[in-house]
Amino acid sequence: MKQDWKSQLRSSAAQSFVGGIGLAVLTLVCFQLKLNLATTGFAYLILIALLSLMGSFIGSFILSIVAVGLLNYFFAEPVFSFRVEYPQDVIALIAFLTTSVIVTGLTAKMRKAADETRATQKVLVDTIPALVWSALPDGSRDFHSQRWLEFTGLSAEEATSQGWVVHPQDRAAVEEKWRAAIATGEPLEVEARGRSAKGEYRWFLVRAEPLRDEKGTIVKWYGSNTDIEDRKNATEALRKSETQWREVFEHNPVMYFMVDATGIVLSVNAFGAAQLGYTVSELVGQSVLKVFFEEDREFVLRNVAVCLENLGQLNSWELRKVRKDGTVLWVRENAKAVRRSDNRVIVLVACEDITEAKRTADALRLSESYMVHAQQLAGVGSWAYTSSYQGGYWDIAEHWSAEMWRIADFDPSKGYPPSDLIFSRIHSEDRERMTEANTHVVKDERSLNIKYRYSRADGQLRVLHSIGALVHESGVATRFVGATMDITEQEQRIEQLRRADEELHQTQAQLTHVARLTTLGELTASIAHEVNQPLAGVVSSGNACLRWLASDPPQIEKARQSVDRIVRDANRASEVVSRVRSLVKKTPPEKVRLNINEAVQAIIVLTRREVEQAKSSLTAQLSDDVPLVWADRIQLQQVILNLIINAIEAVSSLSDGPRNLFVSATEDKLNGVLLTVRDSGMGLDPTKLEEIFDAFYTTKRDGMGMGLAVSRSIIESHGGRLWATLNEPRGAVFQFTLPTGREDAS
Amino acid sequence: MIRLMTEEQPVVVLIDDDESVRAAVEDLLRSVGLRVESFRTAQEFLRSERPDALGCIVLDVRLPGGSGLELQRTLTESRVHLPIIFISGHGDIPMSVRAMKSGAVEFLTKPLREQELLDAIQVAIERDRTRRQDAKVVAELQARFNTLTSRERDVFTLVVTGRPNKQIAAQLELSEMTVKVHRSQITRKMQAKSLVNLVRMADKLGVSSAKT
């Protein structure tokens, strides 16, 4: 207001100054021209009226008084005096003043009204939520609203000279449209981004209408730029959101149905239709019942009825649908009836294909039931434990299978039994082992594998076998999972088998011993001879010694030599005896590392006489580098003895031809040692190369038929193999292998 | 000793494949002053080129490459007449009977009793000596016999059967006189003192009338 007042004062002062000069000039002109009072009065009046257009009422009023004074002084008789000669001049002066005041008053009022209008317009223009502008018919801008200027940050002059800055991408389009509008006179409407004072671009809807005169000629363009940035963003967002939702609706792997109360499909998403093998249009307007499995339609109707009765309540069910091609799928439907804004009740259905899930669930259920059965049949219970803290004992049960409850003999309805209760059921002698095993699990993360005795609630003692291992998750043991088997019967059977096996072993050992004695029996003569020879030597040497001593002079040196021989021969006899005794002795088999050559040589010595008596010759080829074998010496010698005696017997019954025996021990690359006994005897029946190893198979008149059977069992218990082949041109070959390693097949 | 030195030194041949036995027996025999030659096998002995000296064989019954009994047979075939004493580790009766039947001096079992062995050796050597003396006589007689003409040998065979001259003449289709001449020639050549003496000679020579 103060501003207003000041400007008013300023304009009044200017008005008074200009008016003063104007009056002075006019007065001078009129005075010189000697114009009369009335004419001058008109001239003044015109001046004052004109001046009132630029100044305030006060200024005009003052000028009017001054003008009356001038008229009175210069043009009313008497001139140069404010005295009025003629009364008509007074009237004229009064009329002038009145007219002048009225005119200036009217002018002021008119001006005020015009000012107000302009102010209102300005407010209006500036209040419109748009950037308003106008342009001349040639397109050059001549006005920009305050908002326009504020938005662009340009001054009015800058705005007029350079216009606003349009986003480079929009510039061409805007300019083209504007040119077209100017050329055709059609209203302009274009969307473009304009730059703000801050340098940001915002979307505007630019519109311009031409103003035409009576002749239709465009005189001006009026335009407005409406900020549509927010709207545009909102629209874009809406469009995006709608697209998104449409995508969701159409392609979400859920079938959506909208059905009216009578079951007619109002809409269905593309996915839903496709899942059923239809197109959307094939379903819309049709009864929804046609996609349901015939037997389930009744069920559908009941369910829909429930929905319709309970508006807004969600119901779900599982049922079968039928595809267009007739195949059936299982679905879960979630449905609810709602009242639409048009007061129509519709049912919304979301439907999910659960065929696979159902199959998986069925399979899972089935496999679970199989597992329960399998566990029951196998007597295996499974369990899982977790720990209350890291590094603690695995004492918090998470899972016990049904069979586990049965094996541990606890009531599942009472919850997992505490660890110490379970522990108390373990046989006292096995508890320490169990504790140790559990400690290993906790401390060393070792797996558990332990057999222990466990008493059931009724005191019955069972043998259980538990195995377990830690399950790791990202490197940290999180669970202790395992299985427990009731192996009571199994253990009993094993024990029985073990006993039977032991008995069998004893029987075998006895049989082996008997067979050995039998074989040795055949050697009695030879053995006696072997002992007798050195003894004969001893006696004779003794006699000789006595004679050397008795001679005159006593032949001491000779006697000493005799005694040396006595010692040697006595040792030899003793060796034979001990060798035989070791074969006769009933000792449990004891496997040691031995050189097979030594065993063979010992047997060759024992059988020497037999060989001679059979008028045969025995060649031994004992390779020096045979590997050591892991064997029981006596049993091994028994086999060799048996094979050599058989060979001797085979050649002794010959009536002609050579009687050759051959024994060799060589290294066998595959199995360690290969021993061969070859004879040129009667040979074997080629069809009975295996039968000869059967017990009680014999070709000897007084044989037991145990020799080869026992030999084979001995060799096999050493992990070797004994077999027979035919010799060329005549005779038999018996061979066995022995592994060098510590293999114990028995 | 002195007697033995002057006489032919007897040699005991020991055949035993067992080194202990061989060495011990050899030692024993030497300790009583006997000469011993020992062999491991019969073949070794047969292959050895040794003079046919007075002595005997001590032979193991069981030998490699042929038993002692076989060797005995072989020796007889090759006209080695050394008396044999069998020794055996475990002699059985049938074997000893067989051995004795085929002319063994003794059958001893090991271990050998010293005295038995030495006695047997003594007997055997004596027997060999006797046999050798007999053989010498026979050889002399044979030499004399060889001087007879074939006709004289014919007459000889018939004379020692004790037939009279007449019969002999008839059998040989000779005159009685011729037979007489032959007979006196025979008696002279054979240096016989009597018919009885001549008959004994014929026995020793093994001349018999059977084949004629």
Side-chain angles (χ1 to χ4, degrees), chain A residues 490-506:
Chain A
Q490 201 181 326
E491 286 290 296
Q492 282 166 356
R493 275 197 299 278
I494 288 169
E495 178 60 18
Q496 279 167 3
L497 276 175
R498 200 187 57 73
R499 272 190 214 138
D501 200 43
E502 204 171 281
E503 278 168 29
L504 184 68
H505 259 89
Q506 280 172 0

Side-chain angles (χ1 to χ4, degrees), chain B:
Chain B
M1 275 297 195
I2 293 162
R3 193 177 63 93
L4 282 171
M5 287 296 280
T6 52
E7 277 197 351
E8 193 185 358
Q9 180 89 347
V11 177
V12 178
V13 173
L14 174 62
I15 306 176
D16 195 310
D17 67 316
D18 192 291
E19 202 271 330
S20 300
V21 176
R22 208 165 59 235
V25 174
E26 206 179 305
D27 188 31
L28 174 65
L29 297 182
R30 289 214 173 105
S31 70
V32 296
L34 286 165
R35 272 181 62 195
V36 185
E37 281 180 33
S38 59
F39 300 92
R40 210 171 63 81
T41 63
Q43 282 80 2
E44 257 178 41
F45 168 65
L46 289 174
R47 275 200 299 272
S48 69
E49 287 175 11
R50 56 185 296 280
D52 180 26
L54 171 69
C56 67
I57 300 177
V58 177
L59 180 59
D60 190 0
V61 176
R62 290 184 184 218
L63 285 173
S67 72
L69 292 178
E70 279 167 15
L71 177 65
Q72 187 184 25
R73 220 168 20 246
T74 314
L75 290 176
T76 311
E77 279 164 13
S78 50
R79 299 190 176 275
V80 175
H81 299 293
L82 287 173
I84 296 175
I85 299 160
F86 279 110
I87 54 173
S88 166
H90 43 290
D92 47 26
I93 292 166
M95 194 188 274
S96 54
V97 169
R98 237 175 326 134
M100 297 308 284
K101 268 191 177 168
S102 36
V105 178
E106 193 57 89
F107 193 100
L108 302 173
T109 56
K110 296 179 202 170
L112 302 167
R113 289 169 198 278
E114 178 193 33
Q115 206 48 59
E116 277 179 10
L117 176 66
L118 294 179
D119 288 352
I121 287 172
Q122 212 52 57
V123 170
I125 289 172
E126 274 318 307
R127 195 184 280 182
D128 192 40
R129 183 174 285 124
T130 312
R131 185 191 61 77
R132 280 174 192 278
Q133 282 167 359
D134 285 356
K136 227 159 111 186
V137 171
V138 170
E140 177 58 33
L141 288 175
Q142 189 68 44
R144 290 178 201 166
F145 185 73
N146 288 349
T147 60
L148 301 183
T149 64
S150 73
R151 181 57 76 183
E152 284 167 354
R153 287 180 197 172
D154 292 342
V155 174
F156 182 85
T157 7
L158 294 172
V159 167
V160 294
T161 58
R163 296 183 191 185
N165 290 346
K166 201 173 181 177
Q167 254 184 41
I168 297 168
Q171 200 165 342
L172 296 173
E173 292 174 348
L174 294 171
S175 68
E176 210 178 326
M177 196 53 211
T178 312
V179 172
K180 271 187 180 172
V181 172
H182 281 316
R183 192 164 174 160
S184 68
Q185 276 297 356
I186 290 164
T187 309
R188 190 185 54 84
K189 282 184 178 173
M190 294 301 287
Q191 300 172 9
K193 292 172 183 116
S194 62
L195 180 61
V196 174
N197 198 331
L198 199 61
V199 168
R200 214 176 270 154
M201 285 178 183
D203 264 357
K204 283 185 176 157
L205 283 169
V207 175
S208 95
S209 61
K211 59 181 179 183
T212 46

Side-chain angles (χ1 to χ4, degrees), chain A residues 488-660:
Chain A
T488 314
E489 281 77 18
Q490 201 181 326
E491 286 290 296
Q492 282 166 356
R493 275 197 299 278
I494 288 169
E495 178 60 18
Q496 279 167 3
L497 276 175
R498 200 187 57 73
R499 272 190 214 138
D501 200 43
E502 204 171 281
E503 278 168 29
L504 184 68
H505 259 89
Q506 280 172 0
T507 313
Q508 263 179 351
Q510 229 146 16
L511 185 65
T512 306
H513 186 240
V514 168
R516 192 156 65 231
L517 292 186
T518 309
T519 313
L520 278 173
E522 295 175 35
L523 275 182
T524 318
S526 287
I527 292 165
H529 184 88
E530 281 304 316
V531 179
N532 208 23
Q533 291 287 66
L535 285 181
V538 167
V539 173
S540 295
S541 294
N543 288 331
C545 177
L546 289 173
R547 286 195 179 272
W548 292 124
L549 292 174
S551 64
D552 186 24
Q555 302 269 334
I556 301 299
E557 184 50 32
K558 293 267 184 191
R560 211 183 54 77
Q561 284 171 5
S562 300
V563 173
D564 279 349
R565 260 199 318 279
I566 289 171
V567 172
R568 198 189 63 201
D569 290 348
N571 280 339
R572 181 184 146 198
S574 144
E575 263 172 42
V576 174
V577 169
S578 68
R579 198 173 288 156
V580 172
R581 206 172 58 179
S582 80
L583 282 172
V584 174
K585 233 182 0 190
K586 195 174 172 183
T587 48
E590 186 200 3
K591 288 183 184 172
V592 293
R593 279 219 166 279
L594 58 87
N595 187 335
I596 196 163
N597 289 346
E598 290 167 11
V600 173
Q601 270 151 355
I603 296 302
I604 288 176
V605 168
L606 282 183
T607 53
R608 192 164 55 191
R609 283 282 135 182
E610 302 296 320
V611 173
E612 284 165 2
Q613 218 159 16
K615 299 184 181 69
S616 56
S617 67
L618 189 150
T619 315
Q621 205 173 76
L622 305 175
S623 159
D624 287 337
D625 54 357
V626 286
L628 298 181
V629 290
W630 193 261
D632 178 68
R633 185 183 299 278
I634 296 167
Q635 289 194 345
L636 187 57
Q637 287 184 341
Q638 175 175 359
V639 174
I640 299 167
L641 175 65
N642 199 269
L643 296 182
I644 290 179
I645 290 212
N646 281 354
I648 292 168
E649 282 173 3
V651 293
S652 66
S653 55
L654 287 176
S655 54
D656 63 337
R659 299 179 165 197
N660 296 328

